[in-house]
Amino acid sequence: MSALYNKDILRLATEIPFTAPLADAQISITRTSRICGSRLRLDAIFDDQGRFLKLGLDVRACALGQATTAIVAPKLIGLDRQSLARAADDFRAMLQENGPPPAPPFEALHILEPVRDHKSRHASVMLIFDAALAALDGWAEKSKGELSADGPSHACVLGEEGGVARS
């Protein structure tokens, strides 16, 4: 286990950015790993292109999930969905198929290569990707609703199951 929870991962676990919740979030989403109980809540504000402009995070995860969040979260600002999905797919392939680490700007995820052998931790390290992708999808859905004849939609909240509730 010492290779899994090494000093670099433990250091990163203390460096999670954007830890203040966003009272004016356009989307709030929570994802939970059913295997280990790790949980991540992501609040987001988007720019007019549907990219992350501002984030708020509440991470209740193991050191591995925290370290992954510390690496990924700062890279989310200004990122488009296609680039994020590619990085998530590359990271998943690194874990499940012995693939190489994701390309820049996510190359630092190589530090999590020891997680490959611990399948019970895969969901925890994927939480930030899962939440961020769901938030982008929720924003896209919300934006379509705002442009529809039905009138404007309001804040979206996505839960563990990914359902959308409007307030």
Side-chain angles (χ1 to χ4, degrees):
M1 280 295 208
S2 63
L4 190 57
Y5 292 98
N6 63 53
K7 66 178 176 144
D8 293 325
I9 287 174
L10 295 175
R11 177 187 48 79
L12 280 167
T14 67
E15 297 176 359
I16 298 171
F18 313 123
T19 56
L22 299 179
D24 56 344
Q26 294 166 313
I27 298 281
S28 292
I29 183 157
T30 298
R31 286 291 181 259
T32 302
S33 165
R34 293 177 190 214
I35 294 173
C36 67
S38 290
R39 183 180 55 80
L40 184 142
R41 179 184 169 116
L42 183 146
D43 297 333
I45 297 174
F46 298 87
D47 67 14
D48 59 355
Q49 301 295 309
R51 296 174 302 217
F52 289 107
L53 183 63
K54 198 171 179 185
L55 295 172
L57 298 168
D58 180 20
V59 183
R60 308 285 182 193
C62 66
L64 300 168
Q66 291 174 26
T68 307
T69 302
I71 292 169
V72 173
K75 313 287 190 238
L76 294 176
I77 303 299
L79 197 66
D80 62 80
R81 192 195 190 289
Q82 182 180 0
S83 298
L84 181 59
R86 184 174 38 253
D89 289 345
D90 290 349
F91 187 49
R92 190 172 286 110
M94 182 189 95
L95 294 172
Q96 297 175 356
E97 303 164 16
N98 275 345
F106 297 101
E107 70 277 8
L109 290 170
H110 75 85
I111 196 167
L112 290 146
E113 285 177 329
V115 176
R116 284 179 176 151
D117 299 329
H118 301 274
K119 292 184 192 271
S120 64
R121 299 294 187 245
H122 290 190
S124 180
V125 298
M126 290 302 298
L127 283 175
I128 184 64
F129 284 110
D130 295 343
L133 287 166
L136 288 166
D137 292 344
W139 175 249
E141 182 180 319
K142 179 183 177 201
S143 296
K144 286 179 192 173
E146 287 177 346
L147 298 174
S148 76
D150 296 335
S153 11
H154 302 284
C156 291
V157 177
L158 285 79
E160 280 88 346
E161 302 305 317
V164 178
R166 287 194 171 80
S167 57

